[in-house]
Amino acid sequence: MSGWALKTRKGISRLSLIWLTRLIELFSLIVPYRPGVWAGGALGFIAYYLLPRERKRATLHLTVVFGEKGGRWVRLTARRCFVHLGKSLLEVMLMSPHRLARVVEFQGEENLLAAMKRGKGAVYVTGHIGNWELMGHAVSSRFPLSVVAAPIEPERVNDMIVSLRARMGVRTILRGRPGASRELIRVFKENRILGILIDQDADVEGAFVDFMGKPAWTPTAAASMALKFGAPLIYGYIQRGKDNRHTVHIEGPLELMNTGDREQDIIANTAMLTKKIEDSIRKNPEQWVWMHRRWRRQP
């Protein structure tokens, strides 16, 4: 494809995404919560058939990990994954503090409370499991929370996501933006929680660790900052259950490998956290982002 054609296609994709974002914003202003979540699931169902590249990637990755379950299981799980993500989008758009308490419950909240009592902040590690944005809203309703995120293009979509988080009390630290490093340090000084997702192949400092039986490039910032600032390390994830209710599971504070060999300790702790994410995904495979190119780089 020529550079002009590629640029044109990207421009059309961005414009389409902006208009889709506006339509969803307008829709969320007029629809009640339950019908809205149902509509989000329908949107995800349609997306499964309209996005062949993402559908093919999701089924390929599910086959690599769960191939023994057969093609029918793989296709059904891939479709459920799209439906789940569609529901998640509308849940976040339609969420309010009053409704949050009715649809989300905690298991292990005392673990996070114990970490915060140390007064050093906490590093809260998670992955793109369940409705992870909703988990951020739920945690921030009880504890001061900041999250690290990569800026999303187009800017209009990025602004919408940051605004939705802010509405529910979540501060967003955009990676690479001016002042991001100072804001990270401030998190621990103010005894806040720093939320980090480490289950995607991103162009950040990382290491190859095992994920689902294959090496995967994994961000190491969570383990690095926990060691550097002496902050307790927490693992948490959220799980969708019946009637689209959600449970936040929290473990920790976790014991860190700290032998004095900083580089190897960071890798070992990142591998430990990645194994926890893998175990959580295996419990509900349809609640992870299988269309992500998790193994795009290999050592």
Side-chain angles (χ1 to χ4, degrees):
M1 183 180 289
S2 68
W4 177 85
L6 185 61
K7 188 175 181 179
T8 301
R9 192 175 77 174
K10 284 185 176 180
I12 293 172
S13 297
R14 286 185 180 185
L15 188 61
S16 300
L17 190 55
I18 289 172
W19 278 106
L20 179 62
T21 301
R22 287 176 176 173
L23 286 172
I24 293 174
E25 282 180 310
L26 289 172
F27 180 75
S28 69
L29 293 175
I30 59 175
V31 69
Y33 181 76
R34 287 185 179 275
V37 174
W38 180 90
L43 179 67
F45 183 88
I46 294 168
Y48 174 77
Y49 292 100
L50 292 184
L51 301 174
R53 183 174 61 178
E54 285 73 18
R55 181 180 70 242
K56 182 178 179 181
R57 195 178 292 156
T59 53
L60 173 63
H61 293 161
L62 280 163
T63 301
V64 169
V65 178
F66 297 104
E68 75 282 357
K69 292 183 179 290
R72 184 176 182 277
W73 183 93
V74 164
R75 290 189 297 273
L76 182 61
T77 303
R79 192 170 66 197
R80 285 175 174 169
C81 171
F82 278 77
V83 170
H84 159 74
L85 291 173
K87 287 181 177 181
S88 297
L89 173 61
L90 267 295
E91 283 168 338
V92 172
M93 298 286 291
L94 295 166
M95 191 51 61
S96 66
H98 177 67
R99 185 175 290 120
L100 187 65
R102 297 204 308 265
V103 300
V104 181
E105 64 178 14
F106 281 79
Q107 285 189 9
E109 182 183 2
E110 67 278 3
N111 297 322
L112 189 50
L113 185 61
M116 297 304 289
K117 284 182 177 178
R118 297 184 185 181
K120 296 182 178 181
V123 179
Y124 188 114
V125 180
T126 189
H128 293 80
I129 307 167
N131 191 337
W132 63 91
E133 291 285 353
L134 190 63
M135 177 172 63
H137 294 176
V139 171
S140 71
S141 71
R142 306 186 183 203
F143 302 92
L145 174 67
S146 300
V147 297
V148 179
I152 297 172
E153 292 186 357
E155 194 70 22
R156 163 78 177 177
V157 178
N158 186 76
D159 291 344
M160 182 195 76
I161 294 173
V162 171
S163 176
L164 285 170
R165 291 179 186 143
R167 189 179 74 189
M168 302 299 288
V170 181
R171 291 185 193 172
T172 303
I173 302 171
L174 293 173
R175 201 166 59 223
R177 293 287 175 88
S181 297
R182 289 194 301 274
E183 185 63 28
L184 283 172
I185 295 171
R186 191 178 299 121
V187 167
F188 301 106
K189 285 184 176 180
E190 295 179 357
N191 194 29
R192 297 177 62 84
I193 296 168
L194 182 67
I196 308 180
L197 293 91
I198 66 164
D199 64 333
Q200 291 199 342
D201 185 324
D203 294 323
V204 295
E205 243 182 274
F208 284 105
V209 300
D210 184 84
F211 178 72
M212 300 288 186
K214 294 180 65 177
W217 183 256
T218 305
T220 53
S224 178
M225 282 190 285
L227 288 168
K228 179 178 180 179
F229 293 101
L233 189 64
I234 295 291
Y235 171 67
Y237 73 99
I238 188 168
Q239 182 179 30
R240 182 187 300 279
K242 294 180 180 179
D243 299 324
N244 294 312
R245 294 180 60 82
H246 304 262
T247 303
V248 176
H249 301 266
I250 300 174
E251 300 177 32
L254 303 176
E255 186 174 347
L256 282 165
M257 178 76 73
N258 193 359
T259 66
D261 185 335
R262 184 54 60 92
E263 185 176 346
Q264 289 304 312
D265 288 343
I266 287 172
I267 294 173
N269 289 315
T270 301
M272 176 267 292
L273 291 165
T274 300
K275 182 63 169 64
K276 287 187 175 293
I277 290 172
E278 177 183 329
D279 291 343
S280 301
I281 293 169
R282 289 183 180 276
K283 293 175 183 175
N284 296 96
E286 72 279 3
Q287 295 184 32
W288 190 64
V289 286
W290 290 99
M291 60 288 295
H292 171 65
R293 296 171 63 197
R294 186 67 184 92
W295 301 277
R296 70 186 178 99
R297 281 183 281 191
Q298 289 296 292

